[in-house]
Amino acid sequence: MKHLTILVPDSQTGPNTISCIVGTYHVFTEANRYYDKLNREPIFNIELAGVSKQSNFVNGLLTVMTQKDITTIQKTDLIIVPAVISNFSAIEAGNSMLSAWILDHYTKGANVASMCTGAYLLASTGLLDNKNCSIHWKSAANFHKLFPKVNLKTEQIITDEQGIYTNGGGYSFLNLLLYLVEKFYDRQTAIYCSKIFQIDIARQTQSDFMIFNGQKSHGDEMVMRAQDYLENNFSEKISMEKLSEKFTVGRRNFDRRFIKATGNTPVEYLQRIKVESAKKELESSRKTVNEVMYAIGYTDIKAFREIFRRFTGLSPLEYKNKYNKAVIK
């Protein structure tokens, strides 16, 4: 039987930390139970492990008792790293011991999966350097600032690379659990768990959940003014050449500084502003897709659809049908 270690962080925890821990234990226990019903040997021995006997969550309202001290685990096959605080800045206390332990056991052959902001702990090991990683879109800017060598893929629900798995934000860790069940058990067991826990097994992206808020903590005053201009005039026809002249900066240098500060080219930034405005209109108004398109400054429906799908994973009409209450009725 393989060994599954669910890590219990020593500090820097939030409400979603305990959700990830309990959810993982529940889903894998059910997968084992399903195998047992089929007269098959369960895949995992599941244990909660940490550096202390218990950890407190939600201002002490909840407590999780660990079953093992990590130092007593000689071998494990799969490590689950639950979410931590979203305003992570540096690893603290016993979590640094967890980070070192993860690195050690990965080098010994263990697979590692981080959930949502658990990617902070995983990235602190260096194992995510030059690898793809998903995380909650709201934490992306802070994460990139702390771990610039990691290739962020915030539009993806799950990344899978060299025995390292990450997933997006919130309760999308449930989709990662189904993915892992299918990988370590089989497709049939994953489908069974999806039905028992009512988790959508077909979900591939978190793009339509993302809310675009331009990166503003970079300290480049020129880029900040350019961002403000784009955000206040996005429905008009904007020439990036003229915009760079407006701030007396050469176009190449303008693009370079903008990308460094925001993570987007000026054109991409403008597109994302337009799409975010379109999303709000499609969610709450009775405007048609064409009316929304014209309102944000597009005249080509094909181009609008392509750009909208690139950032949301859905067509404008699919998005409206999914989120507009009037349409749902």
Side-chain angles (χ1 to χ4, degrees), residues 149-160:
K149 293 181 181 179
V150 180
N151 303 321
L152 269 183
K153 300 289 182 181
T154 51
E155 75 283 358
Q156 294 184 18
I157 287 289
I158 296 165
T159 66
D160 176 347

Side-chain angles (χ1 to χ4, degrees), residues 56-252:
N56 296 319
F57 299 86
V58 197
N59 298 319
L61 290 175
L62 299 169
T63 299
V64 172
M65 308 292 292
T66 57
Q67 297 165 284
K68 286 280 184 73
D69 186 292
I70 57 169
T71 60
T72 67
I73 299 174
Q74 300 302 311
K75 183 182 184 303
T76 191
D77 298 283
L78 177 60
I79 301 166
I80 299 294
V81 186
V84 293
I85 54 171
S86 58
N87 60 338
F88 188 97
S89 57
I91 199 163
E92 294 177 5
N95 285 343
S96 62
M97 295 173 63
L98 293 182
S99 176
W101 186 87
I102 292 168
L103 178 59
D104 179 52
H105 281 269
Y106 177 77
T107 59
K108 291 177 180 177
N111 284 241
V112 185
S114 71
M115 296 174 161
C116 189
T117 48
Y120 283 117
L121 283 186
L122 183 53
S124 70
T125 67
L127 289 174
L128 286 177
D129 287 358
N130 303 311
K131 292 187 180 71
N132 293 331
C133 171
S134 184
I135 196 172
H136 197 295
W137 54 265
K138 201 171 182 181
S139 298
N142 182 46
F143 185 91
H144 179 69
K145 182 179 178 182
L146 294 174
F147 305 105
K149 293 181 181 179
V150 180
N151 303 321
L152 269 183
K153 300 289 182 181
T154 51
E155 75 283 358
Q156 294 184 18
I157 287 289
I158 296 165
T159 66
D160 176 347
E161 196 169 351
Q162 299 176 28
I164 296 176
Y165 315 90
T166 69
N167 91 285
Y171 284 81
S172 70
F173 72 83
L174 295 169
N175 299 99
L176 175 61
L177 290 176
L178 290 186
Y179 184 85
L180 294 173
V181 167
E182 181 172 355
K183 199 170 192 78
F184 288 94
Y185 294 76
D186 50 42
R187 177 72 174 178
Q188 180 183 352
T189 307
I191 292 173
Y192 170 79
C193 288
S194 77
K195 291 179 177 180
I196 289 295
F197 296 106
Q198 300 187 34
I199 308 167
D200 183 4
I201 198 169
R203 190 174 161 209
Q204 300 293 323
T205 177
Q206 62 176 354
S207 296
D208 60 314
F209 293 101
M210 296 172 69
I211 301 172
F212 179 66
N213 292 305
Q215 165 65 280
K216 296 288 181 72
S217 59
H218 46 72
D220 190 322
E221 180 61 30
M222 183 277 292
V223 173
M224 187 82 75
R225 287 187 289 137
Q227 288 175 273
D228 289 341
Y229 182 87
L230 292 173
E231 289 167 10
N232 292 322
N233 300 277
F234 67 85
S235 61
E236 300 174 10
K237 189 172 183 179
I238 298 175
S239 164
M240 294 304 165
E241 201 71 46
K242 291 183 179 179
L243 185 60
S244 63
E245 290 175 4
K246 177 180 176 68
F247 297 107
T248 62
V249 179
R251 176 63 193 276
R252 183 176 296 181

Side-chain angles (χ1 to χ4, degrees), residues 269-281:
Y269 194 87
L270 178 59
Q271 289 172 338
R272 298 195 71 152
I273 294 168
K274 287 175 178 286
V275 168
E276 195 61 34
S277 178
K279 284 164 60 180
K280 291 175 182 176
E281 289 291 331

Side-chain angles (χ1 to χ4, degrees), residues 9 13-24 55-58 61-64 82-83 171 173:
T13 59
N16 206 31
T17 310
I18 197 164
S19 301
C20 293
I21 293 169
V22 174
T24 301
S55 291
N56 296 319
F57 299 86
V58 197
L61 290 175
L62 299 169
T63 299
V64 172
Y171 284 81
F173 72 83

